[in-house]
């Protein structure tokens, strides 16, 4: 837990002078999405509350919000834990991704598109490959899809997918060979970006649909081997 709390105290500045449970949940959601708190981790009220400088009641409300988002689970007499997903959860995440992400690309309208965020996510992925940071590549892939969703210019869609991508990160974190899982998709990210750069949204949507189907198949295969159907590590 000490390593996982490293840097969390620095996030106190994000709370401002009017600390709220929503802001605390934003911080913790981000930390979960980036893999700082792996699935199955027990979250200590004292440690996290102390690091963020918030009251126990505020932290409990933040935990409640994240439990509602299916990122945390409360176990009676044991405490609050980062949720371990089931295979069914993973499949549902990908169904949601396909519905939303493909619809975003389909509804982009006429080019040119604002692709700076997508391009930076591809560059981030390339940097992680050069550094041999394969878990970082998984994070860069999530950033790519987050930027893709952002092309819709919809705060509601961004909010919906923010928790979906955080759940997805929980699945990625239990993978035993992140390089094998993530590396093939960097080139496919580039292909989608290139299609959008040329204004060919139909091609981009087709590439994305196949990408998500292939990714689901691979993630479920790996996840089922590591966790099983019932979500037990």
């Amino acid at each position: 837990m000490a390593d996982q709390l490293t840097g969390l105290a620095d996030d106190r500045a994000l709370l401002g002078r009017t600390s709220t449970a929503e802001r605390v949940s934003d911080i913790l959601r981000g930390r979960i999405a980036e893999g700082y708190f792996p699935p199955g981790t027990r979250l200590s009220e004292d440690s996290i509350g102390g690091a963020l400088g918030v009251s126990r009641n505020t932290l409990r409300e933040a935990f409640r919000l994240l439990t509602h988002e299916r990122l945390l689970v409360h176990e009676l007499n044991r405490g609050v834990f980062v949720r371990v997903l089931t295979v069914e959860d993973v499949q549902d995440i990908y169904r949601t991704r396909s519905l939303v992400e493909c619809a975003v690309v389909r509804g982009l309208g006429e080019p040119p598109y604002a692709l700076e965020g997508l391009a930076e996510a591809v560059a981030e992925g390339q940097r992680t490959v050069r550094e041999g940071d394969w878990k970082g590549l998984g994070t860069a892939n999530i950033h790519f899809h987050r930027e893709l969703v952002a092309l819709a210019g919809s705060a509601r869609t961004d909010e919906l997918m923010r928790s979906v991508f955080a759940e997805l990160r929980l699945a990625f974190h239990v993978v035993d060979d992140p390089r094998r899982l993530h590396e093939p998709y960097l080139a496919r990210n580039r292909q989608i970006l290139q299609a959008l750069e040329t204004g060919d949204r139909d091609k981009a949507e087709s590439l994305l649909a196949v990408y998500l189907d292939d990714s689901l198949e691979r993630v479920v295969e790996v996840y089922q081997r590591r966790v099983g159907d019932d979500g037990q590590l």
Side-chain angles (χ1 to χ4, degrees):
M1 176 61 75
D3 290 342
Q4 294 153 354
L5 292 171
T6 300
L8 191 58
D10 295 337
D11 287 333
R12 291 176 66 169
L14 300 177
L15 297 174
R17 299 183 63 181
T18 56
S19 173
T20 66
E22 287 81 4
R23 287 175 180 159
V24 173
S25 67
D26 284 344
I27 289 170
L28 294 179
R29 186 189 301 104
R31 290 282 172 166
I32 291 169
E34 299 298 331
Y36 287 94
F37 298 112
T41 301
R42 182 180 180 276
L43 301 184
S44 165
E45 288 186 1
D46 291 339
S47 298
I48 294 176
L52 291 175
V54 298
S55 70
R56 187 180 296 267
N57 285 340
T58 296
L59 187 59
R60 285 178 177 174
E61 175 63 12
F63 284 171
R64 188 191 68 79
L65 293 171
L66 295 176
T67 299
H68 181 71
E69 294 181 19
R70 300 170 61 82
L71 295 177
L72 302 181
V73 61
H74 180 267
E75 297 185 10
L76 188 63
N77 299 324
R78 295 192 64 217
V80 175
F81 295 80
V82 179
R83 193 160 169 265
V84 179
L85 304 182
T86 65
V87 170
E88 184 178 1
D89 290 324
V90 175
Q91 292 169 332
D92 194 38
I93 287 169
Y94 271 87
R95 278 194 294 269
T96 303
R97 293 187 65 193
S98 293
L99 285 169
V100 174
E101 294 186 46
C102 290
V104 166
V105 174
R106 193 180 316 124
L108 280 179
E110 295 302 315
Y113 310 120
L115 302 176
E116 295 82 5
L118 278 183
E120 174 52 36
V122 169
E124 177 189 357
Q126 292 169 331
R127 288 194 298 270
T128 63
V129 168
R130 289 195 297 270
E131 295 165 2
D133 179 7
W134 305 113
K135 287 188 177 181
L137 178 58
T139 298
N141 281 344
I142 290 177
H143 289 169
F144 177 87
H145 290 275
R146 186 180 65 195
E147 293 295 336
L148 184 69
V149 169
L151 292 175
S154 166
R156 290 179 179 83
T157 305
D158 289 343
E159 183 176 356
L160 166 68
M161 295 305 291
R162 180 177 58 181
S163 60
V164 170
F165 289 138
E167 279 195 271
L168 181 64
R169 190 66 176 84
L170 294 182
F172 285 172
H173 199 82
V174 303
V175 171
D176 55 354
D177 188 353
R179 177 176 184 174
R180 180 174 177 269
L181 180 67
H182 300 306
E183 189 174 25
Y185 297 99
L186 179 58
R188 298 171 82 162
N189 288 347
R190 282 197 302 268
Q191 291 172 350
I192 292 170
L193 174 60
Q194 289 165 356
L196 291 174
E197 286 174 336
T198 64
D200 192 344
R201 65 182 180 184
D202 290 340
K203 180 179 180 181
E205 183 186 354
S206 178
L207 289 168
L208 177 61
V210 175
Y211 177 126
L212 291 174
D213 285 345
D214 290 349
S215 180
L216 170 60
E217 182 178 352
R218 177 165 293 194
V219 171
V220 167
E221 173 196 352
V222 174
Y223 199 81
Q224 200 159 28
R225 186 172 66 249
R226 290 276 293 166
V227 177
D229 291 325
D230 56 356
Q232 296 295 318
L233 286 170

